[in-house]
Amino acid sequence: MLDSQPGPTSNRIKLAKEIGLDELPTGCGSEIAAVRGDGRVARELLTLGLVPGVNVRVLRRGLGGDPLEVSAGGHPVCLRREQTRRVRVLAVSDPD
């Protein structure tokens, strides 16, 4: 049965949009939404554990942003920018 009285929640909602893993700031975490593309590179990413639903965090970036070291499901993985663009994550933000 549903409670008819609202709880102590904020009247603000959070918006989620899909961005590339390469766009996620260093130190931030998110959840993988999808791995785009087909072929060898997408299969390799999936084999490394970068599958939808897994939590991922950006640990470090090389000079110029390439390569990118991430933690996927608690395991560190280094990826090139070309690969991180294929991994789509959910970015959550508050509306202004």
Side-chain angles (χ1 to χ4, degrees), residues 10-84:
S10 171
N11 61 354
R12 298 185 68 167
I13 61 168
K14 292 191 179 224
L15 302 175
K17 72 174 188 173
E18 213 176 272
I19 62 170
L21 181 57
D22 62 318
E23 298 175 62
L24 203 61
T26 303
C28 288
S30 187
E31 181 179 315
I32 296 175
V35 176
R36 299 283 186 231
D38 52 357
R40 184 180 60 84
V41 176
R43 280 194 312 272
E44 287 175 355
L45 293 172
L46 294 169
T47 301
L48 288 171
L50 298 164
V51 296
V54 169
N55 290 325
V56 65
R57 177 175 302 279
V58 176
L59 301 175
R60 292 187 284 196
R61 294 176 189 274
L63 294 176
D66 197 23
L68 192 72
E69 183 182 359
V70 300
S71 172
H75 303 285
V77 179
C78 286
L79 302 167
R80 292 287 180 193
R81 183 177 290 160
E82 169 188 315
Q83 296 168 313
T84 58

